[in-house]
């Protein structure tokens, strides 16, 4: 069928062609099926949208990028034919029919996802099938390799590569900013790619960005790691495991997190950086991904099993995730607290957790004896070696190596939230704290966030300060304070404990 | 977050807003999640697309229809907030987790599908879950009612309403053009809505359109049916069970046909026209939907069970679907053959099948005794009553009631395809015949198609005519002839049968 081209001045990065419903019918294709456009010697497959009225009969509307790709302009005539479905659609249907797929089939799906040959409908059907029917560990290995191998990979030859990953859900998690310099100071190699916040108050990449640039391509990462042994950069700057991002785009609106796909997602990035050894931090808590010790054990078993398929040694550490790590939430506040820890003046819970995880890596890397890793990590921290290494990394990433925790600029507008009653501080809502920090401007306003002033388990009297809110504008501070008073994220328990014996007597 | 509006001059009927990736991150939303746009007093929920570069930071790009809806123009400032997921996303996830949904949950999903509150990802996840986990008959009933009740419905009060449906896959199926006038001539009510061809050579609506207009709204349909007892119109002209069309849009690219959803799809349209009694024609054959007698029985059982839930009496008839019905394929050729049958001069296989199905309806309607329906249908056909009724219906639909089979204009360019060898005609490929008819121009060119000249099971000699191709242009005729010679849709079997004893002797 020959149609006249109308170019729409948009570029959406999807190969789409919009036809009048009747033309589509006469071509014999349903909406979201494919046509091949023949433009001179070029041919381009596009997914078809249909419309009753926007595009008249005889016209095919193409977004600017597709038109440019084919060298077509308004008024050109283009020939259209129904295109074959890519074979991976068959494999997706096979997975929907509860069959296991083989290595080549996963490879084909990942390639077609990346080439734009699969529509969102087909990708969603695939992810839904993985969620409903799950994958065997064999299959998970195939998919992980296919995702990692169809993307950029770091080449850090010569030395074994170490890495860590924390499953999400805990605010204030700045342990990477301690672990990377400790591990690198011990002479090991740790190229850490991190994410930015989407729903949290600060991603590790946002926090590190307070100290140095974080966007580097693969070659730059290799250069920095070769020089310093470590890096803390943004994963989005390098094209590691790009198919994973496309699968995540389907998971989020559905709020699903297929178990083995979640494990695959983490490990594909580790495989792509060339990790030989990975420690997985599994924070356990009522608002994290891992809710029970049973779940934590299942995650651990599966991470280790997948690691075996990939030739990566994995160890898992279950940690407490029921409250923020340290006292600071928000990019600049967290960066400051991490520096304080490196300078030796931060709360012990942060140092404690960082040294636990770093210690596991030091033991695995053979620079500490079994059982002595945590102690060795402490030594490196307290001797100032970790701080020196962090400055070296900051410099290599293009930041100011003379930075100190005191030089970090935090939000100038501040308010203290006080306790509305008296009692023991028995819990706090991670989710509410994040909501308040985001209302204050985090992560966009680097200086915005929360600094906790109370300690868990301690007695609090009415009017005692419980946390401070930092903001870069008066308006956002007010919004955050209003929210804090509404949400009351700190849970107090009355001093009833002492009265229990009386009740018992009454019984 | 406040952003400046940029209007894109497209209208795609989807509520979408495109943001820079960074702005989306700072809003805390992932691609394909929702934002609420606040424009003065109006608010509008839109699904978010993100881009690295097409839309700069600080801008939100809106398609023309969304902008118009909100009264926004280029350069306006609009406020955006993350929007809640509709509750039906939870129900979809519940279905993915293998749980049965209740009536209210199906109702909520269908409403949100129709209101545009669910993205294609969410709709695909729902359809995928139905395909993988299937529905109970209870659930199928809920979904069918929800689909039918959220759409237009015919009001044909006073009389019982009869209907029929043929499961697809058989070319040349013009039996509706005989059944409707036979049934209406017997005094029963049969408001038949039909589809147009998408991948076939002619849908019933395309065929009927040769004789009269087929696009009517609900009120018009009611008027025509009140007057004549019958109608053969295009389902797309009236908004019956509109959610079904949206589900089908997801099924096609995946080439999936979830069993109970297929049954629901047929029955929702019957429920919406107010049918009290439906006969389902299940064509059995190697290229139809129903491949084995077991499958046919399962379809029959499930159609009947769903009918019970809906208060519709259902009977099923398994028919042969391994070759075209009658001799004609293509809109005008089929309309002509149907008229010939009404005039008493068509091949008996077409008349036979039509009277079988019509007879079942006549018995159900109490105008023929049990076992005498088919005979009664024949009588109505041979007496000319059916032809008179058809003319009455054609007139009511705005066509020429004086039409005869001889007045139908068919393609002026014709070619005869002859047999390349000698043998018994033992089979023909429906799929190949359709491909050839479409190459000749069907269904767009009404006069294009195929007329079979051979009979199955008969001896054919090399050079004997097997079928004729009709086209409206010389070029398309050539294309179709080329294809016919390539595909060889008629299967001949050598006269080897006679030689078998000789082989046996050799053994």
């Amino acid at each position: 069928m020959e149609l006249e081209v109308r170019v729409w001045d948009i570029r959406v990065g999807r190969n789409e062609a919009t036809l009048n419903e009747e033309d589509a019918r006469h071509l014999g294709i349903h909406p979201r099926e494919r046509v091949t456009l023949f433009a001179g010697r070029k041919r381009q497959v596009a997914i078809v949208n249909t419309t009753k009225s926007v595009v008249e009969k005889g016209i095919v509307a193409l977004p600017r990028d597709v038109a440019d790709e084919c060298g077509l302009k308004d008024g050109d005539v283009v020939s259209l034919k129904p295109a074959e479905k890519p074979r991976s659609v068959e494999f997706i249907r096979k997975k929907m029919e509860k069959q296991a797929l083989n290595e080549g089939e996963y490879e084909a799906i990942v390639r077609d996802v990346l080439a734009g040959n699969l529509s969102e409908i087909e990708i969603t059907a695939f992810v839904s099938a993985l969620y409903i029917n799950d994958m065997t560990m064999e299959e998970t290995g195939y998919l992980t390799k296919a995702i990692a191998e169809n993307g950029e990979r770091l080449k850090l030859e010569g030395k074994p590569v170490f890495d860590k990953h924390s499953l999400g859900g805990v605010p204030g998690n700045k342990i990477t900013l301690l672990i990377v310099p400790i591990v690198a100071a011990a002479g090991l190699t740790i190229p850490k790619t991190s994410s930015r916040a989407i729903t949290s108050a600060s991603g590790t990449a946002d926090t590190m960005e307070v100290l140095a640039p974080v966007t580097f391509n693969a070659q730059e990462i290799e250069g920095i790691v070769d020089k310093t042994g470590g890096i803390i950069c943004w994963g989005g700057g390098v094209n590691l495991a790009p198919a994973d991002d496309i699968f995540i785009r389907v998971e989020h609106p559905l709020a699903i997190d297929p178990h083995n796909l979640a494990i695959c997602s983490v490990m594909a990035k580790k495989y792509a950086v060339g990790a030989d050894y990975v420690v997985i931090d599994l924070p356990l808590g009522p608002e994290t991904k891992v809710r029970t010790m049973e779940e934590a054990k299942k995650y651990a078993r599966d991470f280790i099993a997948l690691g075996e398929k990939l030739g990566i040694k994995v160890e898992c550490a279950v940690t407490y995730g029921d409250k923020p790590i340290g006292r600071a939430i928000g990019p600049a506040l967290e960066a400051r607290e991490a520096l304080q820890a490196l300078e030796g003046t931060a709360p012990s819970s942060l140092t404690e957790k960082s040294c636990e995880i770093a210690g596991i890596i030091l033991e695995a890397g053979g620079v500490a004896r079994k059982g002595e890793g945590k102690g060795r990590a402490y030594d490196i921290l307290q001797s100032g070696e970790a701080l020196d290494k962090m400055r070296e990394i900051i410099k290599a990433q293009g930041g100011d190596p003379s930075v100190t925790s005191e030089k970090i600029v935090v939000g100038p507008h501040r308010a203290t939230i006080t306790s509305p009653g008296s009692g023991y501080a028995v819990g706090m809502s991670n989710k509410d704290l994040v909501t308040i920090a985001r209302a204050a401007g985090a992560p966009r306003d680097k200086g915005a966030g929360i600094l906790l002033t109370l300690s868990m388990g301690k007695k609090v009297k009415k009017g005692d300060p419980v946390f401070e809110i930092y903001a870069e504008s008066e308006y956002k501070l007010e919004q955050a304070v209003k929210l804090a008073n509404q949400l009351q994220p700190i849970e107090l328990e009355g001093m009833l404990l002492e009265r229990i014996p009386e009740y018992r007597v009454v019984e």
Side-chain angles (χ1 to χ4, degrees), chain A:
Chain A
M1 178 179 285
E2 308 233 303
L3 296 173
E4 192 187 313
V5 171
R6 178 178 304 156
V7 179
W8 274 341
D9 201 15
I10 52 169
R11 294 162 201 264
V12 284
R14 287 181 287 192
N15 295 338
E16 292 189 346
T18 305
L19 306 186
N20 185 278
E21 212 169 77
E22 267 192 62
D23 286 335
R25 200 154 50 218
H26 289 303
L27 259 171
I29 56 169
H30 298 86
R32 308 297 185 272
E33 290 185 334
R34 291 167 186 76
V35 281
T36 307
L37 307 170
F38 295 86
R41 282 198 206 133
K42 292 205 174 163
R43 42 172 74 195
Q44 168 77 51
V45 172
I47 310 276
V48 168
N49 292 321
T50 63
T51 160
K52 272 191 213 302
S53 58
V54 185
V55 175
E56 308 93 82
K57 275 203 279 183
I59 301 284
V60 53
L62 302 175
R64 169 76 53 199
D65 39 1
V66 176
D68 286 354
E69 185 64 35
C70 303
L72 289 167
K73 54 184 197 314
D74 262 319
D76 283 353
V77 169
V78 68
S79 170
L80 282 81
K81 277 193 184 168
E84 291 275 305
K85 276 191 223 302
R87 283 208 60 202
S88 53
V89 173
E90 239 176 76
F91 308 146
I92 291 172
R93 206 170 49 232
K94 193 172 155 190
K95 187 71 216 172
M96 295 177 92
E97 282 158 8
K98 304 188 172 64
Q99 295 177 62
L101 303 186
N102 65 33
E103 189 158 11
E105 291 166 340
Y106 278 109
E107 172 78 20
I109 292 171
V110 169
R111 277 178 190 274
D112 279 330
V113 163
L114 290 174
N117 291 337
L118 291 175
S119 70
E120 204 155 71
I121 287 179
E122 291 147 347
I123 296 170
T124 303
F126 177 60
V127 172
S128 298
L130 296 189
Y131 181 62
I132 301 174
N133 297 336
D134 216 339
M135 289 183 281
T136 64
M137 196 45 70
E138 203 72 40
E139 288 183 274
T140 310
Y142 297 149
L143 180 58
T144 308
K145 277 192 192 170
I147 290 176
E149 284 166 2
N150 288 283
E152 277 193 276
R153 299 175 71 180
L154 297 188
K155 287 170 216 76
L156 296 163
E157 274 154 56
K159 288 181 182 178
V161 172
F162 295 82
D163 207 342
K164 58 119 344 209
H165 181 83
S166 290
L167 242 61
V170 189
N173 192 353
K174 70 280 294 174
I175 63 170
T176 293
L177 274 70
L178 278 77
I179 294 170
V180 168
I182 292 171
V183 170
L188 301 178
T189 301
I190 181 163
K192 180 74 184 86
T193 62
S194 299
S195 55
R196 289 188 186 278
I198 294 184
T199 55
S200 76
S202 186
T204 296
D206 300 310
T207 305
M208 184 64 184
E209 205 176 28
V210 173
L211 306 174
V214 293
T215 306
F216 300 104
N217 65 30
Q219 219 183 334
E220 291 164 337
I221 294 175
E222 288 158 10
I224 293 167
V225 176
D226 273 347
K227 203 187 301 175
T228 68
I231 192 170
I232 302 167
C233 64
W234 177 42
V238 57
N239 204 25
L240 303 174
D244 181 48
D245 298 337
I246 297 174
F247 295 139
I248 287 173
R249 203 187 296 160
V250 168
E251 292 168 38
H252 274 295
L254 297 169
I256 58 169
D257 192 21
H259 179 78
N260 280 342
L261 191 55
I263 289 171
C264 158
S265 167
V266 170
M267 294 300 285
K269 296 215 150 91
K270 302 308 173 196
Y271 190 78
V273 301
D276 297 290
Y277 176 91
V278 175
V279 54
I280 305 283
D281 166 24
L282 300 168
L284 182 69
E287 289 173 343
T288 65
K289 254 189 194 176
V290 185
R291 305 286 165 101
T292 64
M293 189 51 91
E294 263 57 58
E295 264 187 77
K297 283 183 182 162
K298 174 159 174 53
Y299 267 107
R301 268 196 310 273
D302 292 342
F303 268 114
I304 291 164
L306 179 56
E308 278 168 16
K309 301 262 173 234
L310 304 173
I312 299 176
K313 174 114 184 59
V314 174
E315 281 189 65
C316 294
V318 183
T319 57
Y320 287 101
D322 55 350
K323 60 185 181 67
I325 295 168
R327 300 185 163 279
I329 300 169
L333 289 162
E334 293 192 37
R336 185 173 74 174
E337 190 176 48
L339 280 182
Q340 286 166 344
L342 290 165
E343 291 162 0
T345 61
S348 64
S349 71
L350 167 61
T351 310
E352 192 78 16
K353 181 165 180 183
S354 304
C355 287
E356 291 266 20
I357 306 277
I360 297 173
I361 300 177
L362 298 185
E363 290 176 18
V367 294
R369 261 186 287 187
K370 201 85 193 156
E372 294 176 4
K374 186 176 176 186
R376 178 87 184 91
Y378 258 122
D379 292 345
I380 294 173
L381 196 62
Q382 277 167 344
S383 67
E385 287 170 78
L387 180 61
D388 289 346
K389 179 55 80 174
M390 185 62 168
R391 292 202 160 123
E392 203 187 309
I393 292 170
I394 289 171
K395 187 179 171 198
Q397 291 189 209
D400 173 10
S402 71
V403 68
T404 64
S405 60
E406 284 181 2
K407 284 192 197 166
I408 302 289
V409 181
V410 294
H413 301 275
R414 298 171 199 180
T416 300
I417 303 297
T418 57
S419 177
S422 298
Y424 290 93
V426 291
M428 54 181 92
S429 165
N430 285 343
K431 213 169 124 244
D432 291 347
L433 289 172
V434 167
T435 306
I436 296 164
R438 287 184 67 98
R444 176 175 243 181
D445 301 344
K446 293 276 187 196
I450 284 176
L451 198 62
L452 295 165
T453 47
L454 96 167
S455 291
M456 289 294 290
K458 290 276 165 66
K459 250 189 212 173
V460 177
K461 286 201 302 291
K462 185 173 173 174
D464 280 356
V466 287
F467 58 89
E468 287 176 301
I469 302 177
Y470 287 66
E472 293 189 355
S473 84
E474 190 60 42
Y475 173 74
K476 287 188 185 170
L477 184 67
E478 277 167 27
Q479 295 298 106
V481 168
K482 230 166 75 183
L483 210 58
N485 288 325
Q486 265 171 38
L487 294 174
Q488 296 288 358
I490 309 295
E491 198 190 329
L492 296 180
E493 202 156 273
M495 292 161 196
L496 286 174
L497 284 173
E498 297 162 50
R499 288 168 60 190
I500 287 176
E502 291 185 69
Y503 280 95
R504 281 204 175 151
V505 170
V506 168
E507 266 182 41

